[in-house]
Amino acid sequence: MKPIPPVDDHGERRSAEPVSSAPREPPTPSRQSLRGLDWFIFFLADVQTGFGPFIAVYLTTQKWTQVEIGLVLSIGGIVGLIGQMPGGAIIDAAKSERLVAGLAIATIGCVALAYAAMPVFPVVVAAATLHAAASCVLGPAIAAISLGLVGPLAIGERLGRNARFASLGNGVAAAVMGTAGYLLSSRSVFLVTFLLVIPTLIALSRIREEEVDIRRSHGAMPREMADKADTNIWHLVRQGPLLIFAASVLLLQLANAAMLPLMASVVTTRSSQWATVLIAGCIIVPQAIVALMSPTVGRKAQEWGRRPLLLVGFGALAIRGLLFATVRDPYLLVLVQVFDGITAAVFAVMIPLIVADVAFGSGHFNLAQGVVGTATGIGASLSTVLGGYISDKFGSSTAFTGLACVAATGLLLVFLVMPETRRTT
């Protein structure tokens, strides 16, 4: 039996949906939608793994130089930079985040086929451009669907679960793609990526459209009298905590983005036969750490605050860069990736969580993600070119040491300037 809507003093029926900022019942999404989101994130991570360091291995086997590889990766990074804020705005304006995500995934499948079919410079550049553009909407779409399903009170726990399934997907995909690259060829990695698009779309279809609340997914908070300052876009993007956090994320990506591609090239040079297997191991180890740690990170972020965990993430990144500069055994490099897992576990949860701290209630949650995503794109695009150039001119050890120093700068920025954004109510 459906509940009877309340009546007012004149006997007229009112909507059961509250119109003020009074507490509402927490959303109760179905098990089907929650599991659909779990598996969507799992398979999407599988798909995106094919565009990680395997590109560096593949293009190295095709006789590309480090500068050429860095240039292609940087072009993708620049497109990602330009598209972050428009991508977030598209999700804020979309009536169906599922539809936007589905179109982006189909585009990525076509890109994988292009890499496999014709690894020449114009095709690879076009493919990298399309992949970056599609990825600009996927990150905000996942966060928006998550927020729309579970609401702001449960989003921290949901983000931890998202990170766990993403890391499991990355680990499984790395193992499958590493095996395929070893037994077949590095080209087969992109064919596997294309096939993984199919279960990704199936999982996305399992999320029930009617259970994704549009207002919640855009970060809108119902209130009796709207605060125009809170909902103004320019007020949002000028907030100090958001800008400081964006700067710290820029330094994170500047230090991190080039590390694994550079290390992949070093491993390919030292042990070409086992390169894909070793790279797979370098992906599996951190993803296992993320799968284990990410729910704990979500809980500790509320107990300890955001800043202590950010310091841990930057510290682990700096240590990883120094170890890459000094460790020569390609097999020991796999163990160094434990520090990558710590950094990834922290920032996989912290980035959307801190953005939610700052932006929820403005109605522009996904646009705020685009602001931080723009900083991510700047750091990543500069990192690959800078790292590749220093490696070619001065050697990989110097490049890794320089990247470690950038990570240390990010640590100091968080320690000295970054405010605590944790909400206590």
Side-chain angles (χ1 to χ4, degrees):
M1 179 181 295
K2 294 183 178 180
I4 299 174
V7 296
D8 60 21
D9 294 337
H10 304 286
E12 297 292 328
R13 295 197 184 279
R14 301 198 307 265
S15 169
E17 180 72 17
V19 294
S20 71
S21 57
R24 299 188 295 174
E25 289 294 321
T28 54
S30 66
R31 182 182 179 87
Q32 174 184 317
S33 292
L34 293 175
R35 295 296 177 267
L37 180 57
D38 289 340
W39 288 107
F40 170 63
I41 292 170
F42 176 87
F43 285 115
L44 178 60
D46 288 0
V47 170
Q48 295 285 51
T49 297
F51 297 94
F54 288 111
I55 288 182
V57 173
Y58 177 52
L59 296 180
T60 300
T61 62
Q62 299 297 314
K63 311 303 181 184
W64 285 48
T65 67
Q66 290 304 306
V67 171
E68 290 173 330
I69 294 172
L71 179 60
V72 167
L73 295 176
S74 292
I75 289 172
I78 292 170
V79 173
L81 163 65
I82 296 171
Q84 287 296 325
M85 291 183 66
I90 288 171
I91 296 300
D92 276 334
K95 300 301 182 183
S96 173
E97 287 83 2
R98 290 196 323 156
L99 177 60
V100 177
L103 292 174
I105 293 162
T107 300
I108 290 175
C110 296
V111 166
L113 283 182
Y115 272 112
M118 195 175 297
V120 296
F121 191 80
V123 173
V124 170
V125 168
T129 301
L130 288 174
H131 175 248
S135 297
C136 286
V137 299
L138 281 173
I142 290 173
I145 291 171
S146 301
L147 189 58
L149 280 176
V150 305
L153 297 180
I155 190 61
E157 183 178 353
R158 181 66 241 184
L159 291 173
R161 189 174 180 88
N162 288 358
R164 167 170 283 179
F165 273 83
S167 65
L168 291 172
N170 279 324
V172 170
V176 171
M177 293 175 182
T179 302
Y182 177 70
L183 296 179
L184 300 174
S185 69
S186 56
R187 188 188 305 268
S188 66
V189 168
F190 299 100
L191 299 177
V192 173
T193 298
F194 172 76
L195 293 175
L196 287 169
V197 167
I198 298 171
T200 307
L201 292 173
I202 293 173
L204 179 63
S205 71
R206 298 288 293 170
I207 303 172
R208 293 175 177 172
E209 185 77 49
E210 66 273 12
E211 294 182 4
V212 182
D213 186 282
I214 293 298
R215 283 179 57 81
R216 276 201 310 266
S217 66
H218 298 164
M221 183 181 294
R223 59 186 70 202
E224 194 165 0
M225 295 182 65
D227 185 339
K228 292 184 178 180
D230 278 354
T231 58
N232 182 273
I233 292 177
W234 300 113
H235 173 77
L236 172 67
V237 300
R238 290 198 304 269
Q239 287 197 48
L242 181 63
L243 296 178
I244 294 168
F245 183 60
S248 68
V249 171
L250 187 153
L251 291 172
L252 169 79
Q253 290 298 324
L254 183 60
N256 185 62
M259 279 196 189
L260 197 52
L262 278 178
M263 197 271 287
S265 299
V266 170
V267 168
T268 303
T269 302
R270 295 176 184 174
S271 181
S272 59
Q273 182 180 2
W274 291 91
T276 54
V277 175
L278 291 171
I279 295 305
C282 287
I283 296 173
I284 292 170
V285 168
Q287 297 310 322
I289 300 296
V290 173
L292 292 172
M293 287 184 58
S294 52
T296 302
V297 169
R299 290 191 297 269
K300 294 301 182 184
Q302 193 59 32
E303 295 175 13
W304 299 349
R306 304 345 183 193
R307 291 180 71 250
L309 291 166
L310 292 177
L311 294 173
V312 169
F314 272 110
L317 180 58
I319 293 171
R320 175 175 167 235
L322 292 176
L323 289 175
F324 275 164
T326 55
V327 173
R328 298 297 177 186
D329 188 335
Y331 299 96
L332 290 179
L333 291 175
V334 177
L335 297 179
V336 175
Q337 285 294 89
V338 168
F339 293 97
D340 186 25
I342 296 172
T343 301
V346 168
F347 283 95
V349 177
M350 286 298 102
I351 288 178
L353 188 55
I354 291 176
V355 172
D357 290 342
V358 176
F360 195 82
S362 69
H364 303 293
F365 168 56
N366 299 294
L367 179 63
Q369 289 192 91
V371 173
V372 176
T374 300
T376 299
I378 293 173
S381 60
L382 293 176
S383 179
T384 49
V385 165
L386 183 63
Y389 177 80
I390 295 175
S391 179
D392 281 345
K393 293 294 183 180
F394 304 104
S396 59
S397 294
T398 303
F400 287 127
T401 301
L403 296 175
C405 291
V406 174
T409 303
L411 187 148
L412 289 175
L413 177 65
V414 171
F415 182 76
L416 297 175
V417 183
M418 180 71 191
E420 179 57 59
T421 63
R422 175 182 55 173
R423 293 174 181 264
T424 57
T425 59

